[in-house]
Amino acid sequence: MLRGTDVTVTGRTSEVTGSLEISDDGLTLETAEFTVDVASIATDQSQRDSYFRDSAIRVSENPEAGFVLTSPVTVDALPEAGEIVELEITGDLSIAGETNAVTTVVQVRSDGSTTELAGSIPITFADYGVEAPSLGFVKVEDNGFVEFQLVAMKG
């Protein structure tokens, strides 16, 4: 809430690195690990970004956030090129130096050489040691989402 008005704030970054490993038959996502440079996350306001980096996430102590798949995921059959498949994945999400197990649905599409993954992980900020600010004129809800859209190239 900003001065009595509901506002949705979105921070974005393209500073994501990682890898995933798919079985030789293409049916199992065996491993996946992604890391985000938290200092590169930006919204539409630099003052908000400073609060996020310095106070909320404490980038000087926790410069990265990340996700590691903890259970392989298998599909019954290879999807057609371009077909979207939904997979439920389980992994460890690390934000601000805290790690929690999460489960979410990911949409996956591949043409055999490029794989796109997209999804959203609901989070409660306190689970990651992040206190939602309440400054009188602005009050932030205690939960949000980590949304992602990743493109992986066969290497």
Side-chain angles (χ1 to χ4, degrees):
M1 295 292 281
L2 178 61
R3 296 182 180 95
T5 303
D6 280 335
V7 176
T8 299
V9 175
T10 302
R12 299 186 192 284
T13 184
S14 60
E15 298 299 317
V16 179
T17 58
S19 63
L20 53 87
E21 184 178 332
I22 299 172
S23 63
D24 289 339
D25 63 8
L27 298 176
T28 303
L29 174 59
E30 296 179 345
T31 65
E33 185 170 338
F34 300 98
T35 302
V36 176
D37 173 4
V38 179
S40 69
I41 297 172
T43 68
D44 59 349
Q45 291 187 352
S46 61
Q47 192 173 20
R48 179 186 298 132
D49 297 346
S50 294
Y51 176 85
F52 171 78
R53 291 178 186 133
D54 300 337
S55 299
I57 301 293
R58 303 171 308 281
V59 170
S60 63
E61 300 167 32
N62 309 293
E64 297 177 335
F67 176 84
V68 177
L69 185 72
T70 55
S71 298
V73 180
T74 301
V75 294
D76 296 329
L78 287 174
E80 296 291 324
E83 178 184 1
I84 295 174
V85 176
E86 290 192 343
L87 300 175
E88 184 175 88
I89 63 167
T90 300
D92 289 333
L93 179 65
S94 300
I95 300 173
E98 298 289 332
T99 301
N100 290 287
V102 297
T103 299
T104 195
V105 174
V106 175
Q107 293 183 333
V108 181
R109 177 175 57 188
S110 180
D111 64 8
S113 61
T114 301
T115 300
E116 299 173 60
L117 301 99
S120 178
I121 303 170
I123 63 167
T124 300
F125 297 128
D127 292 347
Y128 296 91
V130 175
E131 186 176 329
S134 181
L135 307 172
F137 65 93
V138 64
K139 180 178 183 332
V140 176
E141 292 184 21
D142 63 354
N143 56 61
F145 296 91
V146 172
E147 297 177 329
F148 55 92
Q149 182 176 3
L150 304 167
V151 176
M153 308 299 271
K154 190 172 186 175

